[in-house]
Structures are given as C-alpha cells and as structure tokens.
Amino acid sequence: QVQLVESGGGLVQAGGSLRLSCAVSGRTFSDYAMGWFRQAPGKQRELVAHISSRDITHHADSVKGRFTISRDNAKNTVYLQMNSLKPEDTAVYYCAARRGTSWYLSEYEYDYWGQGTQVTVSS
C-alpha cells in the first residue's frame, strides 16, 4: 500500500513563499507519476502541477511562473515550491500518485492521495 504524507502548509502573506513536501512510502517511487491538486471552499478540486516518472512537468496556467514541481527519487519526495503567493491560492493542497510513464492531468487518473495540507494566503 502506498501512503502519501504532505507537509509545509501554513499561513503566509500575499507575495510570500511556501514549499510543500509530499513523502511517499514504497520502494518504487521512481515509477510513479505525481500530481499536486488543490481545492478551495465551494470549488472543485483542480490540478496545480504534475511531474511524470520521467521528470516531465506540467503547471496549470494559473500558477505558471510562480510554482514549481520537482521530485527527489532518493528521498521518495515530491515538492511544490510556491512563490509570489496570492489570496486566490488559498486552498487545501493534496498530492497524488499513480504508477505509469504518461501524463496524468485528471484527478480521476490517480490511485493514491495524501490527507491534504492547508495553505492560506492573506491579503
């Protein structure tokens, strides 16, 4: 069973930065594609960024140039560096995983999810 544990959320002022981490259990982390999603109150969950098992990345237009997804296979960890944060980035952020070498941009394509971490950006 794969388990994901997020950390790094919190309260930050607009313009500030946070780095989210997601630690993944299991010995074959390098075989997994990873995604960061977020869900704001009253809104549907949306993809923020994706990194394939081959290190190809995709960022949503709303965060492009501000957020960066990366992974460290030696540490079984995926990161989301968030800079120039805006109040509209406020949400619960989830990491997700699935095995495969393709791109997976829909939440329905992921098999494993973390518990979520709250990010609040004050104006």
Side-chain angles (χ1 to χ4, degrees), residues 64-118:
K64 204 168 290 184
R66 301 188 297 121
F67 292 10
T68 303
I69 190 171
S70 62
R71 64 190 298 160
D72 185 337
N73 289 342
K75 295 182 178 180
N76 282 22
T77 301
V78 62
Y79 304 98
L80 185 68
Q81 177 66 44
M82 306 187 295
N83 299 327
S84 303
L85 282 159
K86 303 176 181 180
E88 50 263 44
D89 295 319
T90 295
V92 177
Y93 283 70
Y94 300 89
C95 69
R98 65 155 291 157
R99 294 190 65 140
T101 58
S102 186
W103 282 35
Y104 307 101
L105 304 185
S106 168
E107 62 176 311
Y108 302 107
E109 298 181 282
Y110 287 82
D111 299 315
Y112 306 101
W113 291 83
Q115 81 286 355
T117 186
Q118 176 71 45

Side-chain angles (χ1 to χ4, degrees), residues 39-81:
Q39 187 167 21
K43 294 188 176 181
Q44 290 193 335
R45 189 155 52 185
E46 63 176 358
L47 176 74
V48 176
H50 161 85
I51 185 165
S52 75
S53 59
R54 297 173 178 175
D55 280 351
I56 299 172
T57 62
H58 167 85
H59 297 80
D61 288 343
S62 59
V63 306
K64 204 168 290 184
R66 301 188 297 121
F67 292 10
T68 303
I69 190 171
S70 62
R71 64 190 298 160
D72 185 337
N73 289 342
K75 295 182 178 180
N76 282 22
T77 301
V78 62
Y79 304 98
L80 185 68
Q81 177 66 44

